[in-house]
Structure formats: structure tokens, C-alpha cells
Amino acid sequence: MPVAQSPPRRRNQLPTADDTAEDDETQHNWEFTKENAAPLECGRSVKSLSKRAFGMSTREQAEIEEKTKKLEKLVKRTEKAVEWMQRQAQKLVAKKHNANARANNASTADDSGNTAVDFLTEDEAQSLRDRLASELRYDPSTSNRDNIDYDPLRYWVLYIDHIRKSYPSDSKRQFLINERCARAFMSRPFIVPSYQNDA
């Protein structure tokens, strides 16, 4: 069914209400496609923003999703290792509590205060890191730069950068990935002790 078009306006003829509505609609179409990206200190790439705002091919979208999945898998290794270390540390602290309670013949430790048995010593934390390499095959202390675990922070930096560039308007996702990274490297015992003052 053909769509009826309004006759063209003459040069000196005043616009009608229908003409004004059409002009406003075509004039402000960009309002529906513009990106609502949060500003960054370093700025954003105009090329990538306009790609996101004015559409990408399905191939480009698939590449972004594939890279996101790959980086997510790499950072999950660190998160799993941190979770494992925390569980093992809790078990060690519980054993120390039980041994201390048996030695004192009663539990006299104050639950509100921190005692020496509430924390792992550096030697105990290092033994957990050594076990991590053998049990989970995760070794951030390796000196081999080609090893996937050489520097776990590098994958987090790449992932955060990828999320910022690929999803500029998704500030919630950006915040959550930053929070996950901070939790992974600030949790005790530290998975990479050299990062403890950097986080």
C-alpha cells in the first residue's frame, strides 16, 4: 500500500503543522542514536563512540562478545584462585583456634578482639601460594613471561579497558569490573604480595 506524501511547499507558503512535525522528526533523529557515555580523564575515541552510536555490523558485535568472553575467562582464573586461598586460610585459622582452645583447656579468646590465631603468618600464606601452584595450576610467582599466570593484573587491566571502550554507556558494568578487580587483589592472604601496597 503506497504511503501518501504531502505536496511540496511553495517558496512563500507558511509551513503547516504536519510539515513542522516531519521536519522536527527528521532533524532530531540523532537524539535517538547518540551515545550516553560517561567521560573519562583520558577521553574517549570518537571513532569507537560513533560506531557504537550509529550501529555496528553483526560481525563486529560478535568479535566484541568473543573478546569479552575470553577476557572474562582469564580474570576468572584469578578470582577462583583467590576464593580457594580464602577457603584454605579460613580452615587454617579454624585449626589454629581449635588448637589454641585445646591448649588453654577452654576457649578464653575474646570473639570481639583479634588474637594472634585470627590471622595467617607470612609463612603460612606463602605455603598456601605454593599449594595454589600445585593444586590449581595457578602460579602468579612464575618468572616465565609467556606463562598465562605471569602477571594476573595485566588481564584485569585489558578487561577493564575493553569494557570501557566497547560498552561506554554501561557504567554499572564498568563499576562492577573495577570492584571485582579490587577485591581480587586486596583480599587476604594476598595472591600476589607485591600488589598489596598498590591496591
Side-chain angles (χ1 to χ4, degrees):
M1 177 176 196
V3 177
Q5 295 181 350
S6 59
R9 262 191 299 151
R10 289 192 198 133
R11 196 172 199 185
N12 294 333
Q13 185 181 4
L14 293 171
T16 64
D18 292 335
D19 293 338
T20 308
E22 281 180 25
D23 288 345
D24 285 345
E25 187 177 306
T26 57
Q27 193 175 33
H28 298 291
N29 275 342
W30 65 273
E31 284 287 343
F32 299 113
T33 59
K34 72 178 183 178
E35 189 63 44
N36 218 0
L40 294 176
E41 267 185 45
C42 60
R44 292 197 182 270
S45 165
V46 174
K47 184 179 178 182
S48 66
L49 278 178
S50 36
K51 263 188 177 180
R52 295 297 291 178
F54 298 112
M56 291 188 301
S57 68
T58 53
R59 183 183 60 80
E60 289 172 325
Q61 289 174 345
E63 286 173 359
I64 287 174
E65 288 301 318
E66 183 180 326
K67 186 174 181 179
T68 303
K69 287 178 184 175
K70 179 183 173 186
L71 290 168
E72 178 68 29
K73 186 177 177 182
L74 290 169
V75 300
K76 279 277 190 197
R77 283 179 56 82
T78 306
E79 288 180 319
K80 286 179 182 177
V82 168
E83 289 171 7
W84 181 87
M85 281 189 68
Q86 288 178 335
R87 282 193 308 270
Q88 298 303 318
Q90 287 172 350
K91 289 178 185 177
L92 283 174
V93 167
K95 279 183 185 178
K96 286 167 66 172
H97 261 295
N98 291 339
N100 191 30
R102 273 185 257 131
N104 291 336
N105 225 1
S107 179
T108 57
D110 183 10
D111 289 336
S112 63
N114 292 331
T115 62
V117 295
D118 289 337
F119 299 103
L120 295 180
T121 64
E122 188 52 42
D123 292 337
E124 291 169 332
Q126 186 57 47
S127 73
L128 278 180
R129 286 186 211 101
D130 294 340
R131 282 181 49 205
L132 185 66
S134 63
E135 292 186 27
L136 290 182
R137 293 188 208 113
Y138 183 86
D139 186 16
S141 64
T142 183
S143 59
N144 180 3
R145 289 178 161 262
D146 294 333
N147 189 320
I148 194 169
D149 300 326
Y150 170 68
D151 182 12
L153 187 58
R154 69 180 167 173
Y155 295 117
W156 283 97
V157 171
L158 289 173
Y159 193 33
I160 290 168
D161 187 50
H162 169 71
I163 294 295
R164 279 187 178 165
K165 287 179 181 174
S166 301
Y167 306 99
S169 64
D170 196 350
S171 57
K172 180 179 179 182
R173 190 174 192 174
Q174 292 174 24
F175 175 79
L176 290 176
I177 196 73
N178 285 331
E179 184 180 15
R180 284 173 55 197
C181 178
R183 283 186 183 180
F185 290 101
M186 290 175 63
S187 62
R188 292 178 189 261
F190 296 111
I191 194 158
V192 182
S194 59
Y195 292 150
Q196 76 184 31
N197 295 327
D198 297 340

